[in-house]
Amino acid sequence: MHLMYFTEQPMSAYPKEQGDRYGYTALLFPNKFFDAAEGSRLYNERLEEYKLVEEVGYDGIMLNEHHTAPFCMQAKINICAAILGAITKKVKIVLLGNPLPIADNPVRLAEELAMIDMISKGRLVSGFVRGGGVESLQANANPAFNRERFEEAHDLIVKTWTTPGPWRWEGNHYQLRVVNPWALPLQKPHPRIWIPGVSSRETIVWSAQHRYPYIALNLPIEESKNVWKIYDQVAKESGYEAGPSERGYLIRCHVAETEEKAIRNAREFMWMQGEFTGLTHPVWAAPSGYLGPWARRAMAELRAGYTHVRGANASLEKQMQNLTLIAGTPKTVIEKLRIIMEETRPSILALYGNDGKINHEDSKTCIRLTGQEVLPALREIGKQLGLESPFDLNTPVSLAYSGVQAKQSEATAAAN
Amino acid sequence: MSFTESFVDVVGGKVQLLKGGSGSPIVVFHHDIGNPGWLPYYMELAENHTVYVPSHPGFGKSERPEWARNVRDIACIYQRLLKDLGLNTTAVVGLGFGGWIAAEMATMCHHEFSHMVLVNAMGIQPTKGEIIDQFLISTLDYVRAGFADQGKFAELYKERPDVDQLVQWEINREMSTRIAWKPYMFNQAMPHLIKAVTVPTLVVWGRHNRVVPLSCGERYQQAMPKAKLEVIEGNHYLEVEKHHELAVLTKSFLGGK
């Protein structure tokens, strides 16, 4: 098992009533409601919590990035990742991920990631995402070419990491006169690439075609199973048998000393319900062209207000019932996670522990209790179920490098 | 009055073409929301002219040129269309986004147009105000924003437009995204290139245009040596809401009365 800690790092100190007044809390929600003094406090509390995450035995820290919205304060995950590279010793730094299409120079991203990999002594997992519609809009990156830019930027980054320069790139969306960076990753052939997503078929297929582990974000069990059905099928067509080492899962999971307190804190996951897990502005979430023609009719109806997002604004109770949100003491949490592990068989599990206004002390308690009591049990369950992670098996970093032994551990040893 | 629909192969793709009337030719370039059909405005023009209304490549039933990246690409395709239609000299009317295409074409080929009518044309950066950004609002809100009278919107599209209409708008909007995302709805070179265009040009603007500010119209008029500006009461879709007034202005400018 590879067990990670995650939080959206919300700017939870914004005035909620203002969000209610505007009816949205992204893109055009005015940043006058951002409080830099509170932001400074929150960033520093998160760093302290990450140190504790390592101390109590997690294998990884997962980071993500969003823009122009209070639900996530990470405007550049590579900055936080670089800090973690320096202040932690063992945990993997799992970026899920850098939004590629909004980058105008992917080689610069490749350099930043190489620096993180070297500073952390080979602990980087470099996930990539398309970014949400809001990311396209705020960066003014054409959403109609989002997928094309994602794929081309990915190809360019992997080539930058693996093909000695100098060389020239004349692509469809990126053109670079000279690619020859003097910062290259420590891990060979390159850092692992994992791809997070909800249930976009195109992304699942693309991940499986590359043999990149896919990290399903907080889906109900049945929907996760559908993801793995698609992934496994494409894997077979691509010439390999997929299994738990290609399967990741993120679940909201808050742990406290008592059931009551855990559930009270879990309500904080609901504060940003409108932005991440459920409804968001129907025009901004998926601008025209962002999704393929298959989504056109449904999106047109949604944007016109003829339909609404299925399952949006589901109650906490409902979400706890369908196991998309888990909260409780270690004992109850373990039993629920066991069901998910048995049913969907992921070897990479991210526990999204804290959100909203869950305070620093309660966040630390959650991390500590999870580390001390939940993680050992999950490792045991993982062992029983044969859920071996890419690190356990030292799988190749991709299908393209199938015959190549990943040299993460040797690289780390050399650096140490 | 009747019209015909055909599909013409041009630069590797099919372009949907509506045609009606008889007389000297006028080519009408439609808005970014697409052409809603054979409008009364076209009918009035068709009393004295042969009216051609192509759907822009990627809009309506025209095939999408996947390779196209900007509005000048569309203008180039249309240059070829005019040649194929034998329209060596023609009048053009550009409505909104179609006005931008017409203006681009005029900057490329200075002998082709006898007259040009730019109605609430995009393509030039406003000096005052901003072109409303459709990509931040729903298509429904965007279309409605250009109507002074929402009753007229409902007459054309119904109070609650059909889902098929929404889908067509979506296809059109995807194409607008592909070719006009950034800078949004203007070409920075336009103020310079348009100065050299000596085609007699009538710039018509809705005084209360909420989609493209009047400053765009003033800028076109001031830059072009043979342009005059007519400001009439109305919003963006003058060819729908003020079709008779616009038709009279157009025909009298073309001398077709």
Side-chain angles (χ1 to χ4, degrees):
Chain A
M1 289 298 294
H2 180 79
L3 300 166
M4 310 189 281
Y5 174 75
F6 175 69
T7 167
E8 284 270 5
Q9 289 209 14
M11 175 58 202
S12 50
Y14 86 100
K16 187 184 174 301
E17 64 284 358
Q18 293 295 344
D20 295 339
R21 189 164 79 80
Y22 281 83
Y24 46 79
T25 55
L27 198 63
L28 298 183
F29 183 54
N31 66 357
K32 67 181 177 189
F33 300 120
F34 182 82
D35 179 338
E38 284 295 284
S40 173
R41 174 179 68 82
L42 289 164
Y43 278 126
N44 284 290
E45 286 181 2
R46 294 293 96 82
L47 290 175
E48 216 179 294
E49 289 161 19
Y50 287 139
K51 283 196 270 187
L52 181 63
V53 164
E54 175 167 81
E55 216 177 288
V56 301
Y58 278 90
D59 303 313
I61 294 170
M62 166 181 162
L63 303 175
N64 78 331
E65 172 173 328
H66 282 284
H67 296 265
T68 59
F71 75 85
C72 177
M73 276 177 64
Q74 297 238 45
K76 185 75 179 165
I77 35 174
N78 294 353
I79 289 179
C80 190
I83 296 168
L84 290 180
I87 68 170
T88 61
K89 292 272 181 264
K90 297 177 302 201
V91 283
K92 304 286 187 214
I93 299 161
V94 183
L95 308 185
L96 298 180
N98 268 291
L100 297 185
I102 68 170
D104 279 331
N105 182 359
V107 173
R108 189 179 166 89
L109 269 184
E111 289 179 305
E112 291 168 5
L113 291 163
M115 286 178 66
I116 294 164
D117 198 43
M118 288 183 285
I119 292 167
S120 68
K121 300 177 184 172
R123 289 185 285 132
L124 172 69
V125 174
S126 175
F128 297 131
V129 296
R130 295 175 61 201
V134 167
E135 276 66 48
S136 286
L137 287 161
Q138 63 83 32
N140 218 0
N142 195 324
F145 300 119
N146 181 283
R147 183 163 291 282
E148 289 179 20
R149 285 171 67 93
F150 173 83
E151 294 186 10
E152 187 179 330
H154 160 270
D155 294 349
L156 174 52
I157 289 172
V158 171
K159 184 172 177 185
T160 302
W161 283 342
T162 54
T163 304
W167 39 269
R168 189 179 186 101
W169 183 273
E170 296 289 349
N172 197 17
H173 294 284
Y174 300 103
Q175 296 82 29
L176 289 144
R177 189 157 269 113
V178 176
V179 181
N180 189 29
W182 272 66
L184 292 168
L186 180 61
Q187 297 180 80
K188 302 297 176 199
H190 61 72
R192 288 182 186 279
I193 294 171
W194 296 354
I195 307 296
V198 185
S199 47
S200 154
R201 188 187 167 87
E202 288 150 334
T203 304
I204 299 162
V205 168
W206 186 87
S207 304
Q209 284 168 340
H210 288 79
R211 200 174 179 177
Y212 292 149
Y214 183 82
I215 317 300
L217 301 175
N218 219 140
L219 295 174
I221 286 174
E222 286 312 309
E223 287 185 41
S224 292
K225 285 182 176 173
N226 286 335
V227 168
W228 304 128
K229 208 180 283 173
I230 298 168
Y231 192 106
D232 293 352
Q233 180 59 35
V234 176
K236 206 167 278 171
E237 288 159 12
S238 306
Y240 70 96
E241 203 66 42
S245 60
E246 280 80 31
R247 295 183 181 190
Y249 185 64
L250 167 80
I251 173 83
R252 289 168 296 167
C253 178
H254 182 75
V255 180
E257 308 90 321
T258 66
E259 299 292 327
E260 298 69 31
K261 184 177 168 190
I263 290 167
R264 195 168 60 240
N265 272 340
R267 287 203 183 278
E268 291 295 321
F269 282 111
M270 307 293 286
W271 77 283
M272 60 156 213
Q273 186 72 6
E275 296 302 332
F276 177 65
T277 44
L279 259 188
T280 180
H281 192 293
V283 175
W284 306 339
S288 297
Y290 175 83
L291 298 171
W294 58 271
R296 192 180 279 144
R297 181 166 284 266
M299 289 310 298
E301 289 184 272
L302 181 69
R303 292 189 194 114
Y306 291 9
T307 55
H308 299 281
V309 174
R310 182 169 52 90
N313 300 323
S315 67
L316 175 73
E317 290 69 25
K318 170 98 182 132
Q319 295 186 50
M320 288 187 66
Q321 204 181 347
N322 72 10
L323 296 187
T324 54
L325 201 165
I326 295 174
T329 59
K331 189 160 175 279
T332 55
V333 160
I334 290 165
E335 284 319 301
K336 288 179 176 174
L337 289 170
R338 177 197 293 276
I339 297 169
I340 289 172
M341 290 165 74
E342 284 173 350
E343 293 284 326
T344 65
R345 300 181 55 77
S347 73
I348 300 162
L349 188 62
L351 300 175
Y352 176 177
N354 297 291
D355 207 311
K357 286 189 164 65
I358 297 178
N359 65 38
H360 187 39
E361 281 315 308
D362 288 355
S363 295
K364 286 195 290 187
T365 302
C366 166
I367 292 164
R368 192 177 300 114
L369 286 174
T370 306
Q372 289 167 350
E373 300 184 39
V374 180
L375 299 190
L378 298 184
R379 291 191 200 288
E380 197 47 47
I381 297 167
K383 202 179 285 176
Q384 289 162 13
L385 296 173
L387 307 181
E388 292 179 295
S389 77
F391 301 111
D392 297 330
L393 297 174
N394 197 24
T395 53
V397 297
S398 69
L399 194 59
Y401 284 97
S402 272
V404 182
Q405 191 81 1
K407 285 192 187 148
Q408 181 271 325
S409 45
E410 288 87 335
T412 310
N416 285 333
Chain B
M1 191 179 290
S2 66
F3 67 96
T4 59
E5 181 187 37
S6 63
F7 289 86
V8 186
D9 273 310
V10 55
V11 197
K14 284 197 189 323
V15 167
Q16 179 191 17
L17 181 67
L18 306 188
K19 182 182 171 188
S22 61
S24 62
I26 302 181
V27 182
V28 180
F29 296 115
H30 62 73
H31 288 279
D32 52 4
I33 61 170
N35 177 30
W38 195 250
L39 297 169
Y41 171 64
Y42 309 158
M43 293 177 201
E44 278 190 64
L45 295 182
E47 288 166 4
N48 311 79
H49 298 276
T50 307
V51 178
Y52 297 85
V53 188
S55 278
H56 309 328
F59 291 74
K61 294 187 208 159
S62 293
E63 274 181 65
R64 174 184 289 179
E66 296 283 339
W67 50 267
R69 291 288 186 86
N70 56 59
V71 172
R72 281 183 86 77
D73 292 340
I74 305 302
C76 289
I77 297 174
Y78 273 157
Q79 294 286 11
R80 178 67 208 201
L81 176 70
L82 296 193
K83 179 180 162 64
D84 291 350
L85 294 174
L87 300 175
N88 295 325
T89 306
T90 183
V92 292
V93 175
L95 307 170
F97 179 72
W100 180 4
I101 298 174
E104 292 285 1
M105 291 173 75
T107 66
M108 289 172 182
C109 198
H110 293 265
H111 59 273
E112 205 160 67
F113 298 158
S114 63
H115 300 80
M116 180 160 72
V117 182
L118 298 179
V119 186
N120 293 320
M122 294 163 172
I124 202 160
Q125 186 173 16
T127 47
K128 213 168 125 191
E130 284 176 356
I131 298 171
I132 195 173
D133 191 346
Q134 64 182 303
F135 301 133
L136 292 177
I137 58 179
S138 74
T139 305
L140 214 44
D141 289 344
Y142 178 60
V143 179
R144 283 186 178 280
F147 280 86
D149 174 1
Q150 293 303 314
K152 291 272 200 282
F153 168 92
E155 268 176 38
L156 190 58
Y157 297 115
K158 299 182 187 169
E159 185 55 38
R160 181 186 162 95
D162 295 338
V163 175
D164 285 345
Q165 176 64 65
L166 297 181
V167 171
Q168 186 58 64
W169 277 333
E170 191 57 32
I171 290 167
N172 298 342
R173 180 166 154 134
E174 285 170 18
M175 192 62 198
S176 299
T177 305
R178 297 173 77 88
I179 58 176
W181 175 261
K182 183 171 75 173
Y184 180 66
M185 288 298 174
F186 63 83
N187 175 357
Q188 284 154 323
M190 183 65 81
H192 308 282
L193 292 170
I194 202 74
K195 278 184 198 162
V197 174
T198 53
V199 175
T201 299
L202 174 66
V203 180
V204 185
W205 227 263
R207 189 181 307 281
H208 307 290
N209 193 326
R210 290 183 58 207
V211 178
V212 187
L214 178 57
S215 69
C216 292
E218 291 165 347
R219 210 170 173 196
Y220 270 120
Q221 189 268 324
Q222 285 158 13
M224 298 176 73
K226 288 192 189 165
K228 61 176 184 170
L229 175 65
E230 287 276 355
V231 179
I232 63 178
E233 292 307 310
N235 194 338
H236 191 57
Y237 301 111
L238 294 176
E239 76 288 354
V240 177
E241 293 195 280
K242 299 281 175 170
H243 60 86
H244 180 63
E245 203 173 337
L246 185 63
V248 168
L249 275 174
T250 310
K251 289 204 279 188
S252 101
F253 178 63
L254 267 56
K257 267 188 170 174

